[in-house]
Amino acid sequence: QVELVESGGGSVEAGGSLTLSCTFRGETYLNYEMAWFRQAPGKEREVVAIISTGGVNTYYSNSVKGRFVISRDNSNQMAYLEMNSLKPEDTALYYCAASWWRGQAFPPRITDFHSWGQGTQVTVSS
């Protein structure tokens, strides 16, 4: 069973930066594609970024492309989301998620993510 624990959230002023971390436990990390999602109050959960098992392929939503960077450390079973040039509209609860890779094309569908962390809050003030 996969366990995901996020850390690194906090409050920052617009234009600032934060890096979120996700610790993966319980299964073979290399078998999983990793992603960050976010959910703002009153809004649906949305995908932010996805990274393939080997870290070669990445996907970003249009709203964060060019500002956020997803990465992973397979040796330490960690995933990261570096967030730069933060905007107030980036304020949300950020979730780490894992999708078991069965050979499907990249990026995986949102419904392929079955393992989720508890979330870490990011608040950006103007």
Side-chain angles (χ1 to χ4, degrees), residues 91-109:
T91 295
L93 190 60
Y94 283 71
Y95 297 91
C96 176
S99 169
W100 183 44
W101 187 71
R102 306 176 305 278
Q104 67 270 26
F106 184 87
R109 298 168 299 180

Side-chain angles (χ1 to χ4, degrees), residues 18-39:
L18 279 175
T19 296
L20 306 183
S21 300
C22 175
T23 301
F24 178 103
R25 299 189 185 102
E27 296 288 342
T28 303
Y29 187 52
L30 273 175
N31 289 342
Y32 287 81
E33 295 175 308
M34 300 297 295
W36 290 93
F37 289 76
R38 67 185 182 187
Q39 188 167 18

Side-chain angles (χ1 to χ4, degrees), residues 82-126:
E82 178 184 344
M83 305 183 294
N84 302 304
S85 301
L86 283 161
K87 305 174 181 180
E89 50 264 43
D90 294 318
T91 295
L93 190 60
Y94 283 71
Y95 297 91
C96 176
S99 169
W100 183 44
W101 187 71
R102 306 176 305 278
Q104 67 270 26
F106 184 87
R109 298 168 299 180
I110 294 176
T111 52
D112 290 330
F113 289 91
H114 299 295
S115 299
W116 296 84
Q118 294 299 307
T120 185
Q121 178 68 37
V122 173
T123 303
V124 184
S125 58
S126 58

